[in-house]
């Protein structure tokens, strides 16, 4: 049985009428990192489409590293013929007999908690993994290849580059260990464009910023996950910085809609920022979450910085993308930041 919040979200996505879902009729979609909280929503969306219209016959191939976790995440789909799991690391060559029409490459260590402890693993999934998926796309002559990049690729942009459009780029220090993520995502983008240029692979790139929602790991290490964990566990929110950094937080259902729009409507060879319309400081986000649940009598507390060696903090004070390009595909922010975080907390608390 699906979580009620997830059920409502997915139903809302698949009933959006201006997304050309019929393009997926009879198609096979391979999704890497399928057990991750963002690609898992994509998997469930495709399976839900089949439930609504059995004639579409979409097949999902879910590539996961941990088979046990995948079976737990997708336990209510056991026995279905429209999903197949492949348990392997994307850094190993992928051998599949079936025809593949679309590849969504979303396998990556996105949390900063990995950058200090496993920077090499972070790089390999974004470079070697991308190479293996592009080679598979080349062999299968896919109809579409969607690459999950990141807003991190922009680096430290100048003030006059905010909001940041897709053609603007700032500085990235290659000797900063945190660059293992942003630089390898940049390389992944260049690899995608190179394969498009040389081999005709129909590449599309999406650059998500901070995405939150049901199913995210509460020990993810990123600030929004920490805050939701505090609310769910009825703890005061502790901020270990001055809280002035500004970010944009996009609710997962809105993000998933954006991914499908880019894949099915976006222009080949182009990148699209994906974020919400709601820039907010970290301090104000903490206050907003506390205010959403006044009956819990929680507070926002400022604590002294206690940086761990594994979590590598960003130096960027304001990360605000220009999303006009995504909006040109018909995308809109459907969930306010208040509604999105309320739904996220509820998703962890309902039975």
């Amino acid at each position: 049985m699906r979580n009620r919040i997830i059920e409502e979200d997915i139903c809302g996505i698949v009933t959006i009428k201006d997304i050309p879902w019929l393009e997926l009729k009879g198609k096979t979609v391979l999704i890497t990192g399928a057990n991750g909280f963002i690609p898992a929503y994509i998997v469930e969306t495709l399976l839900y489409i089949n439930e609504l219209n059995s004639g579409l016959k979409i097949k999902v191939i879910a590539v996961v590293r941990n088979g046990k976790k995948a079976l737990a995440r997708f336990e209510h789909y056991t026995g279905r013929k429209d999903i197949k799991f492949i348990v392997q690391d994307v850094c190993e060559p992928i051998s599949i007999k079936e025809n593949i029409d679309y590849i969504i490459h979303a396998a990556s260590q996105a949390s900063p908690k990995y950058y200090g402890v496993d920077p090499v693993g972070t790089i390999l999934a974004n470079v070697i993994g991308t190479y293996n998926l592009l080679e598979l796309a080349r062999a299968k002559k896919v109809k579409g290849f969607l690459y999950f990049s990141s807003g991190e690729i922009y680096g430290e942009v100048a003030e006059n580059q905010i909001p940041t459009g897709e053609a603007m780029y700032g500085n990235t220090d290659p000797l900063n260990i945190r660059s293992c993520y942003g630089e390898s995502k940049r390389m992944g983008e260049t690899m995608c464009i190179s394969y498009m240029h040389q081999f005709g692979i129909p590449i599309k790139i999406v650059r998500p910023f901070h995405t939150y929602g049901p199913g995210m790991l509460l020990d993810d290490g990123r600030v929004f996950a920490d805050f939701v964990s505090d609310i769910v566990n009825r703890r005061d929110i502790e901020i270990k910085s001055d809280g002035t950094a500004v970010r944009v937080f996009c609710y997962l259902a809105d993000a998933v809609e954006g991914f499908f729009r880019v894949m099915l409507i976006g222009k080949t060879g182009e990148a699209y920022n994906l974020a919400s319309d709601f820039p907010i400081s970290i301090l104000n986000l903490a206050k907003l979450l506390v205010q959403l649940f006044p009956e819990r009598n929680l507070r926002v507390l400022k604590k002294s910085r206690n940086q761990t060696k594994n979590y590598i903090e960003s130096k960027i004070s304001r990360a605000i993308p220009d999303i006009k390009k995504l909006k040109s595909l018909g995308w809109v922010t459907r969930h306010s930041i208040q509604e999105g975080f309320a739904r996220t907390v509820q998703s962890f608390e309902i039975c």
Side-chain angles (χ1 to χ4, degrees):
M1 182 177 178
R2 291 188 188 95
N3 178 292
R4 176 178 61 81
I5 299 294
I6 295 176
E7 178 95 19
E8 292 172 358
D9 283 351
I10 293 172
C11 181
I13 295 167
V14 302
T15 53
I16 296 171
K17 295 183 178 179
D18 65 332
I19 296 178
W21 300 114
L22 288 176
E23 291 287 327
L24 298 172
K25 182 177 181 179
K27 300 299 191 295
T28 297
V29 183
L30 182 141
I31 304 169
T32 68
N35 202 35
F37 102 97
I38 296 178
Y41 248 54
I42 295 175
V43 170
E44 293 207 80
T45 299
L46 293 171
L47 297 179
Y48 194 80
I49 292 172
N50 281 343
E51 293 173 22
L52 293 181
N53 186 344
S54 59
L56 288 183
K57 299 184 183 301
I58 302 167
K59 182 173 182 181
V60 176
I61 299 177
V63 180
V64 299
R65 281 199 302 176
N66 189 313
K68 289 183 178 179
K69 285 185 178 180
L71 289 175
R73 175 65 176 81
F74 299 108
E75 62 180 346
H76 44 286
Y77 298 105
T78 301
R80 288 182 56 152
K81 294 181 179 180
D82 54 354
I83 183 168
K84 173 184 177 179
F85 291 96
I86 295 177
V87 181
Q88 74 157 82
D89 193 316
V90 294
C91 292
E92 299 296 327
I94 300 173
S95 178
I96 296 174
K97 294 181 180 180
E98 294 98 323
N99 177 59
I100 298 170
D101 300 289
Y102 290 92
I103 291 176
I104 300 175
H105 180 30
S108 182
Q109 293 186 157
S111 171
K113 73 178 183 179
Y114 295 113
Y115 304 162
V117 68
D118 188 22
V120 173
T122 301
I123 291 169
L124 292 180
N126 295 335
V127 178
I128 303 301
T130 300
Y131 166 75
N132 286 330
L133 268 300
L134 287 167
E135 282 292 302
L136 182 64
R138 181 184 172 193
K140 298 295 182 179
K141 297 180 172 59
V142 298
K143 182 180 177 66
F145 187 107
L146 182 65
Y147 176 65
F148 272 42
S149 185
S150 168
E152 289 265 345
I153 63 100
Y154 292 110
E156 297 182 57
V157 298
E159 187 66 26
N160 64 1
Q161 293 177 303
I162 300 174
T164 307
E166 285 84 354
M168 300 176 181
Y169 301 96
N171 295 322
T172 300
D173 180 1
L175 298 184
N176 182 331
I177 196 63
R178 187 185 170 97
S179 298
C180 67
Y181 183 68
E183 287 281 42
S184 59
K185 282 295 188 185
R186 279 186 173 186
M187 186 67 243
E189 288 196 15
T190 303
M191 292 170 68
C192 286
I193 294 300
S194 298
Y195 267 77
M196 183 191 74
H197 175 79
Q198 190 166 344
F199 302 116
I201 307 298
I203 297 298
K204 296 173 186 178
I205 297 167
V206 65
R207 295 171 179 165
F209 282 68
H210 294 287
T211 304
Y212 69 94
M216 69 183 186
L217 297 176
L218 294 183
D219 63 350
D220 173 90
R222 285 174 282 192
V223 66
F224 56 87
D226 290 343
F227 290 177
V228 170
S229 179
D230 288 336
I231 297 295
V232 169
N233 290 287
R234 289 166 168 74
R235 298 187 299 253
D236 291 333
I237 292 179
E238 296 185 354
I239 295 182
K240 300 179 178 66
S241 68
D242 59 13
T244 59
V246 175
R247 300 290 186 264
V248 281
F249 299 93
C250 187
Y251 185 60
L252 179 54
D254 291 345
V256 170
E257 176 192 340
F259 297 136
F260 278 112
R261 285 188 183 274
V262 173
M263 185 174 85
L264 297 174
I265 308 173
K267 294 181 179 180
T268 299
E270 299 206 8
Y272 294 81
N273 288 335
L274 198 160
S276 77
D277 288 303
F278 312 116
I280 189 171
S281 72
I282 299 304
L283 177 59
N284 285 336
L285 176 63
K287 291 179 178 178
L288 180 149
L289 279 165
V290 167
Q291 292 165 3
L292 283 175
F293 301 92
E295 73 283 356
R296 303 188 186 192
N297 297 314
L298 301 178
R299 300 171 296 168
V300 176
L301 306 175
K302 285 191 175 183
K303 295 289 184 178
S304 58
R305 198 181 297 265
N306 183 25
Q307 186 72 44
T308 68
K309 67 177 181 178
N310 295 334
Y311 186 94
I312 310 297
E313 191 174 87
S314 173
K315 296 179 180 179
I316 298 170
S317 60
R318 296 176 69 215
I320 305 172
D322 186 327
I323 57 174
K324 289 195 294 290
K325 194 172 177 181
L326 182 63
K327 286 184 173 182
S328 73
L329 303 182
W331 186 85
V332 295
T333 301
R334 299 181 188 274
H335 297 82
S336 69
I337 194 168
Q338 292 87 348
E339 181 185 8
F341 273 102
R343 291 181 66 78
T344 300
V345 171
Q346 291 166 11
S347 73
F348 286 99
E349 297 183 340
I350 61 177
C351 298

